[in-house]
Amino acid sequence: MDWIETAQAELRAQGLAGWLLYDFRGSNPVAKRFMGLGGLITRRVFLLVPARGTPTLLVHAIERRSLPDLPFEVVSYSSRSSLEAELAQLLPEGPVALEYSPRNDIPYLSFVDAGTVELLRDLGVEPVSSGDLLQVFSAWTNEQIAAHERAVAGVYRAKDEAISFISRRASDGASANESEVQRVITRVLQEAGLTFDHQAIVGFGPNSGDPHFVTPSQGGRRLQPGDPILLDIFAKEADGDAPYADITWMGSYGPPSAKFLELFEIVRDARDIGVRTMREAYEAGRRPSGSDVDRKVRGHIAGKGYGEYFIHRTGHSLGTRSTHGDAVHLDDFETRDTRKLLPGIAVTVEPGVYLPEFGVRSEIDVLLEEAGPRITTDPQRELTVIELS
C-alpha cells in the first residue's frame, strides 16, 4: 500500500515513533479509511504504523480469521488483560500520533475517546495529534488541481449569469427575488457538468447578514434599492476525487450606502491580509498554522471596530466529498487549528462582518504551493453595482 510508505516518510520527518490507528465500530473514520479490514469487525482494533518496518494489526481472536489478506503483521487478543499486554508489546518508545486533539482544539480529527487515551498513557505512550500527518493525504494531485480550475470557471460563469439576470430584470423595471437568482445559478452549474452538496446561498438585504442563510426554494426577498447582494457559490466536477471551488461575491442593487462600502473595503482588505500572511511566512521559510492566519485577519477587522460581528472562522480547507475539507482550517476562533498550511493544501479565505441590517463576506480560494500561496479564483476588488432603471 502506497499510503504506508507516505505515512512512514512523514513520521520520520516529524520525528514520531509511529502512528496508532484505533477504531471501535466505526468510531474513527480515519482508521476505517486506512485499515481496509472488511469482514465482521465488532471489537476494538489497533493498527500500529511504525516510522520504519512493517505495520502490525491487533484484533480480537474471534475476528482474526475474517480478515482479508493485508500487508500487516497480525496479532490478536481475547481478554481485557491480554489486550493491554499485547498493546504494551506493540507500542514503540517515543511520541505516537493518534486521531486526538489536546483539549479537543481541533474537533475535526478528535476520534480517539478519552478512556483509550488514558489507557495508552498508562502504557507509556506519549500521544500527539495526527493532524499534520494526515494532511499529506489531503494534498492535491495535478489532476485535482486541473479539476478545481475547471470548477472555478463554472462557478464564475454562474456568478456572471446571476448578475446579468438581476441586471436584466432591473432594466425591465422589475426586481429579482432570491429563489429566482438561485435557480439561475443552479442551472448554469448543472449545464457546466458540476455538482454541489447543497444549493448556493443567495441573500439580499438583511439576509446577507446571516452567514448560513438558507435561500427559500420559492420566493424569498425581492430586491429593493440599496440592498446588498451576497452570492456564495460552490461546485465541483462529478468525479469523486475532484475538489470544490468556492467563492462569495458581493453586489449592490443601486448605489451602495456609505456603511456598506466601508464594510466591503474592510473585509476585502482583511481577506488580502490573510493571503499576505501566508506568503510572508513561506518567504521566511515557515509554514504558518491555520490559527496564525485567522488571528491576523481577525485582528484587522477588530482594529476597525467590527470584531464582534466577525462570527466565524476565516476559512476552511476545500474538500472533495463536501465543500469543507478534512485538512487545516483558518481558525483560532471557533477552534484552535494548529495544523500547518502545507504545500498541496487548498483553503478558502473568507472573512465577513454581519450586522443586523446586512452582511459582507469576500471569499477566494488559495492553493499552497512549494513557493507559497497561489490564488486560484479572481479576487473581487470593487463592489458590483446593479444600475436601476
Side-chain angles (χ1 to χ4, degrees):
M1 290 186 179
D2 291 341
W3 72 263
I4 295 174
E5 294 181 2
T6 300
Q8 289 182 319
E10 188 62 23
L11 287 168
R12 293 192 294 271
Q14 294 186 26
L16 302 178
W19 179 19
L20 186 65
L21 290 151
Y22 164 74
D23 192 35
F24 177 65
R25 296 186 173 184
S27 61
N28 184 353
V30 175
K32 182 178 180 180
R33 170 186 170 190
F34 287 101
M35 287 184 184
L37 299 184
L40 181 63
I41 305 296
T42 63
R43 270 64 167 183
R44 287 177 284 184
V45 58
F46 297 82
L47 174 65
L48 177 73
V49 181
R52 288 182 172 81
T54 303
T56 301
L57 183 70
L58 175 60
V59 298
H60 195 279
I62 66 171
E63 296 173 340
R64 181 168 183 165
R65 295 181 63 184
S66 69
L67 297 174
D69 290 334
L70 296 166
F72 314 137
E73 294 181 6
V74 180
V75 295
S76 61
Y77 69 94
S78 54
S79 66
R80 186 175 68 250
S81 59
S82 66
L83 170 62
E84 294 188 16
E86 291 293 341
L87 275 174
Q89 291 292 318
L90 176 66
L91 295 169
E93 293 183 4
V96 175
L98 304 169
E99 282 66 68
Y100 147 82
S101 175
R103 297 177 57 83
N104 199 26
D105 276 345
I106 311 175
Y108 313 102
L109 57 82
S110 190
F111 298 119
V112 180
D113 64 275
T116 299
V117 173
E118 290 172 355
L119 168 62
L120 294 171
R121 280 188 170 136
D122 287 346
L123 294 173
V125 166
E126 179 187 344
V128 299
S129 173
S130 62
D132 278 335
L133 169 63
L134 287 169
Q135 290 210 100
V136 301
F137 300 103
S138 293
W140 287 0
T141 64
N142 289 335
E143 291 78 11
Q144 287 176 304
I145 294 171
H148 166 73
E149 291 172 340
R150 291 191 294 269
V152 167
V155 162
Y156 273 90
R157 194 176 310 133
K159 182 268 294 181
D160 291 341
E161 286 289 335
I163 296 295
S164 295
F165 174 79
I166 296 170
S167 296
R168 289 195 302 271
R169 293 294 298 272
S171 66
D172 291 340
S175 62
N177 66 36
E178 291 163 333
S179 65
E180 290 173 332
V181 176
Q182 186 187 70
R183 285 195 292 274
V184 170
I185 292 169
T186 298
R187 173 181 57 78
V188 175
L189 293 176
Q190 290 175 339
E191 288 174 354
L194 302 178
T195 186
F196 37 83
D197 50 1
H198 59 89
Q199 295 284 343
I201 297 173
V202 178
F204 299 158
N207 294 334
S208 64
D210 180 352
H212 275 188
F213 176 64
V214 178
T215 307
S217 59
Q218 297 293 328
R221 181 179 174 89
R222 192 166 294 280
L223 278 167
Q224 302 174 25
D227 267 358
I229 299 168
L230 184 148
L231 305 177
D232 188 348
I233 308 173
F234 33 85
K236 66 180 289 288
E237 293 186 340
D239 182 278
D241 290 331
Y244 269 85
D246 187 6
I247 66 167
T248 301
W249 199 269
M250 298 300 305
S252 176
Y253 194 61
S257 68
K259 174 66 76 174
F260 183 22
L261 189 57
E262 174 198 7
L263 290 188
F264 174 79
E265 292 174 350
I266 290 171
V267 168
R268 177 201 61 196
D269 293 348
R271 178 201 70 197
D272 293 346
I273 286 170
V275 178
R276 187 162 67 246
T277 299
M278 290 184 269
R279 180 168 292 118
E280 289 174 350
Y282 264 69
E283 289 173 351
R286 295 185 292 105
R287 301 292 187 255
S289 69
S291 56
D292 292 336
V293 177
D294 182 75
R295 283 194 301 275
K296 288 287 189 179
V297 172
R298 196 168 301 279
H300 175 77
I301 291 176
K304 297 295 184 179
Y306 293 99
E308 65 182 293
Y309 302 105
F310 182 14
I311 57 175
H312 59 69
R313 63 194 174 195
T314 290
H316 58 81
S317 61
L318 284 164
T320 56
R321 297 183 299 276
S322 66
T323 319
H324 296 181
D326 295 327
V328 56
H329 304 310
L330 308 185
D331 192 3
D332 195 44
F333 178 67
E334 300 178 48
T335 69
R336 182 171 178 263
D337 203 324
T338 56
R339 290 176 290 180
K340 302 299 183 183
L341 286 154
L342 302 175
I345 301 298
V347 295
T348 65
V349 184
E350 50 176 308
V353 172
Y354 306 94
L355 305 179
E357 58 269 34
F358 67 88
V360 177
R361 180 164 65 250
S362 186
E363 179 180 13
I364 57 174
D365 299 346
V366 176
L367 173 66
L368 279 302
E369 299 179 327
E370 289 293 340
R374 175 169 71 87
I375 301 172
T376 62
T377 52
D378 181 20
Q380 184 177 12
R381 297 296 176 192
E382 305 292 338
L383 278 173
T384 297
V385 179
I386 307 297
E387 293 186 6
L388 306 184
S389 61

